[in-house]
């Protein structure tokens, strides 16, 4: 993976942008520590930092290729999983100079133009400058695994992989308005698709692409989840999804550097690890697996509806079953609290508190072994793994099932913004637009219509937040994390599998369990879903309480956005409202405000 950025203008000479581009490049070095490059022309300044995975010498960027008199230059962040198929489709007359997928993407555009995105199976964000046509093509992968932010000024377009790189450009104001304030306090760590929170900053939405030219930026949707009739038996469906998943995992194991896997002892990561282990054994190699836990978690862990058991015994079971070389990362409270700031720098926004910072620490440890890891994100969203899919009452709630806290959240928003924002309308509007967007069939039952809405809600919100977390926390240490369940073919197919099949045997992800039952030991196969592990040590609550108390004891921009009296009340520990589903409770809410303070100060954010 890599970091990309650029400045495009058809009115100003971009050859004078070297210093500004250098600042943007420096901000992305963690995403691409291996190589760097800058392309300058009269209309385009393109920036790249590279994490080398395939064809380490041949894949340098920016990459320029010619077709007759026409020249095309690309900056690309991502990984293709059907590179060889596209090579064949490009034809025998095409001469390849490298083994890199960067060249394949560029040649695809040169042959098919904007339709090239329909041929690509992978995770990507890229920009291609077409010199003779005086335009730049921007595209983002279907699922939205790789980021692409932009700011359109009156005479130029500035884009970058990360917000912090974009904010290095002097023309972009470090400001948030009432909409940004609402995003931060009423929806975060979730974020409206296409919204960059910073005033004027936007993000290319998943499955979208388009051109920037003298006429401005025009983006359009080239892919979305579509409803269609699927008339397969349960047995046929099981076989179909098994083939898709095995193919996706095998494709994503291709790399010129070592590949490892995350292993939580849950269904999703265990399945990926099992298939990866089998494939590596064919090559005479042993899979390295990685797990995270917390100091004294065994001492303080308490069972709950959302987390019925802890991970270690299932991890040990799975590691023994695979015969993998297993690695543990044990995180203690001081390290976890200290990493809250780094997690803000990595995400470019306040995020999921220790759920982010622990992932950042974990990825940093994995990077000591290798550069590529496979992870189990997105199975819950596609296969119906969350409690709100299966609880008949929760799934019919007219609102985000993981965020029923608007009345609580709005108490923190300062009066200046409350006077121009209706919190309930803001949150409900975001929910309703997504639910209404879900594609449906006239023949769908009421249940199937609602389950399509639930899938779209999770796909556009909860899943995007988790993917953003995984990308930023991993790339902060130059670790590429691939997500096999995010193969768009799996998403398209599962959107049309009836709920009865997904809920097979009355179990969360029942279809997935049945389809892949031959790949796991019984104990892991039957394990009830358990979320990403958090610390249960009371020392974490004590530490973040003390830190937030210290922050608000002195002048801080935080109290210009958030009511001081509500922060003081929060520190009494009387509140026990979930800020963001089961992932963010009281300790994480306090830590979120610490991250918000860090973000406001670090990026010198002004409130307008």
């Amino acid at each position: 993976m890599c970091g990309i950025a650029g400045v495009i203008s058809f009115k100003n000479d971009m050859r004078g942008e070297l210093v500004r581009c250098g600042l943007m490049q420096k901000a992305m070095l963690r995403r691409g520590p291996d190589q760097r490059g800058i392309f300058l022309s009269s209309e385009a300044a393109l920036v790249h930092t590279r994490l080398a995975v395939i064809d380490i010498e041949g894949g340098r960027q920016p990459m320029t290729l010619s077709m007759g008199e026409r020249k095309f230059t690309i900056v690309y962040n991502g990984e293709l999983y059907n590179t060889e198929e596209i090579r064949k489709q490009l034809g025998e007359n095409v001469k390849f100079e490298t083994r890199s997928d960067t060249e394949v993407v560029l040649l695809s555009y040169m042959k098919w133009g904007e339709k090239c995105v329909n041929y690509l199976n992978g995770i990507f964000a890229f920009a291609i400058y077409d010199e003779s046509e005086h335009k730049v093509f921007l595209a983002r992968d279907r699922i939205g695994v790789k980021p692409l932010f932009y700011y359109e000024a009156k005479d130029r377009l500035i884009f970058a992989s990360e917000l912090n790189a974009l904010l290095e450009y002097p023309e972009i104001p470090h400001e948030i308005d009432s909409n940004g304030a609402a995003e931060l306090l009423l929806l975060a760590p979730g974020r409206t698709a296409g919204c960059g929170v910073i005033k004027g900053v936007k993000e290319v939405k998943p499955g979208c692409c388009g051109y920037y030219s003298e006429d401005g930026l025009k983006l359009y949707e080239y892919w979305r989840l579509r409803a269609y009739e699927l008339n397969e038996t349960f047995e046929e469906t099981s076989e179909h999804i098994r083939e898709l998943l095995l193919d996706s995992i095998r494709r994503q194991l291709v790399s010129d550097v070592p590949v490892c896997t995350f292993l939580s002892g849950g269904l999703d990561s265990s399945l990926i690890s099992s298939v990866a282990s089998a494939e590596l054994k064919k090559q005479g190699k042993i899979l390295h697996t990685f797990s995270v836990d917390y100091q004294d978690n065994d001492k303080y862990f308490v069972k709950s509806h959302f987390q019925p058991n802890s991970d270690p015994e299932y991890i040990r079971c799975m590691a023994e079953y695979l015969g993998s070389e297993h690695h543990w990362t044990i995180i203690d409270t001081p390290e976890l609290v200290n990493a809250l700031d780094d997690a803000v720098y990595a995400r470019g926004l306040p995020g999921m508190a220790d759920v982010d910072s622990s992932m950042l620490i974990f990825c940093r440890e994995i990077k000591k072994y290798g550069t590529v890891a496979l992870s189990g994100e997105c199975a819950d969203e596609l296969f119906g793994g969350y409690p709100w899919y299966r609880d008949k009452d929760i799934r019919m709630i007219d609102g985000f099932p993981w965020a029923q806290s608007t009345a609580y959240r709005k108490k923190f928003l300062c009066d200046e913004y409350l006077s121009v924002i209706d919190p309930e309308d803001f949150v409900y509007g975001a929910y309703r637009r997504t639910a209404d967007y879900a594609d449906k069939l006239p023949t769908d039952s009421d249940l199937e219509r609602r389950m399509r809405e639930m899938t779209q809600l999770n796909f556009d919100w909860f899943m995007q937040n988790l993917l953003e977390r995984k990308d930023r926390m991993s790339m902060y240490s130059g670790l590429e994390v691939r997500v096999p369940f995010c193969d768009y073919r799996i998403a398209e197919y599962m959107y049309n599998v009836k709920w009865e099949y997904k809920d097979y045997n009355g179990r969360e992800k029942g279809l997935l369990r049945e389809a892949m039952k031959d790949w796991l030991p019984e104990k892991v196969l039957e394990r009830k879903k358990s979320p990403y592990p958090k610390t249960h040590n009371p020392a974490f609550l004590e530490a973040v309480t003390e830190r937030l108390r210290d922050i608000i004891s002195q002048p801080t921009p935080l109290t210009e956005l958030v009511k001081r009296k509500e922060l003081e009340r929060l520190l009494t520990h009387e509140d026990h409202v979930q800020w963001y589903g089961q992932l963010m409770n009281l300790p994480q809410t306090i830590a979120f405000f610490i991250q918000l303070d860090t973000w406001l100060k670090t990026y010198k954010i002004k409130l307008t």
Side-chain angles (χ1 to χ4, degrees), residues 191-256:
R191 184 161 50 85
T192 302
C195 174
V197 180
I198 299 291
K199 188 177 181 180
V201 173
K202 299 179 181 179
E203 186 176 21
V204 176
K205 295 180 183 180
C208 288
C209 64
Y211 287 100
Y212 180 71
S213 66
E214 290 182 336
D215 296 327
L217 180 64
K218 297 180 180 179
L219 299 172
Y220 66 92
E221 183 180 77
Y222 70 87
W223 183 90
R224 61 171 292 185
L225 293 174
R226 290 289 185 187
Y228 60 80
E229 291 285 355
L230 184 61
N231 297 309
E232 294 180 344
T233 66
F234 180 78
E235 290 71 24
E236 291 169 335
T237 303
S238 295
E239 182 178 356
H240 196 154
I241 197 60
R242 180 166 56 250
E243 291 173 354
L244 283 173
L245 185 54
L246 290 174
D247 183 65
S248 178
I249 296 170
R250 288 164 178 160
R251 286 175 182 271
Q252 297 192 29
L253 288 169
V254 176
S255 171
D256 288 349

Side-chain angles (χ1 to χ4, degrees), residues 31 77 123 140-141 143-149 161-164 183-184 187-198 202-206 342-353 355-357 359-360 363 375 377-378 381 458-476 479 481 483 486 580 592 595 599:
R31 287 191 75 88
N77 166 32
I123 52 178
R140 191 173 177 211
D141 67 75
I143 308 293
V145 178
K146 290 293 140 184
L148 186 55
F149 294 93
S161 292
E162 294 183 352
L163 279 169
N164 54 7
E183 289 279 337
L184 288 168
L187 293 174
R191 184 161 50 85
T192 302
C195 174
V197 180
I198 299 291
K202 299 179 181 179
E203 186 176 21
V204 176
K205 295 180 183 180
D342 282 345
V344 173
Y345 309 146
R347 196 185 266 255
L349 287 166
M352 300 176 75
V355 182
D356 276 5
S357 63
M359 178 62 72
L360 184 144
C363 289
S375 180
E377 266 76 12
C378 305
E381 288 83 359
N458 280 271
F459 196 83
D460 286 1
W461 288 89
F462 206 80
M463 190 173 90
Q464 288 301 317
N465 183 30
L466 295 180
L467 288 174
E468 179 175 312
R469 163 184 174 252
K470 184 59 66 71
D471 175 79
R472 307 305 193 280
M473 299 309 123
S474 60
M475 293 303 292
Y476 191 72
L479 176 70
V481 177
V483 279
C486 272
Y580 192 74
F592 172 81
Q595 290 196 311
W599 182 72

Side-chain angles (χ1 to χ4, degrees), residues 263-280:
L263 181 61
S264 70
L267 181 66
D268 313 328
S269 66
S270 296
L271 281 174
I272 291 172
S273 296
S274 185
V275 177
S277 178
E279 292 299 308
L280 289 180

Side-chain angles (χ1 to χ4, degrees), residues 37-56:
I38 295 177
F39 167 90
L40 296 175
S41 74
S42 60
E43 297 176 332
L46 301 177
V47 181
H48 194 261
T49 63
R50 186 182 182 209
L51 180 65
V53 173
I54 300 289
D55 194 1
I56 295 172

Side-chain angles (χ1 to χ4, degrees), residues 6-76:
V7 188
I8 314 297
S9 178
F10 302 102
K11 298 179 180 179
N12 303 278
D13 194 331
M14 292 294 96
R15 287 172 291 192
E17 291 290 308
L18 182 61
V19 173
R20 291 176 173 183
C21 286
L23 293 173
M24 296 170 77
Q25 185 180 64
K26 184 178 179 181
M28 299 188 300
L29 285 180
R30 284 183 170 273
R31 287 191 75 88
D34 298 330
Q35 297 166 359
R36 66 189 77 173
I38 295 177
F39 167 90
L40 296 175
S41 74
S42 60
E43 297 176 332
L46 301 177
V47 181
H48 194 261
T49 63
R50 186 182 182 209
L51 180 65
V53 173
I54 300 289
D55 194 1
I56 295 172
E57 287 303 315
R60 294 179 179 272
Q61 297 185 50
M63 180 182 287
T64 300
L65 296 177
S66 299
M67 177 186 289
E69 297 298 316
R70 298 180 66 184
K71 286 186 177 181
F72 305 84
T73 302
I74 187 173
V75 281
Y76 164 75

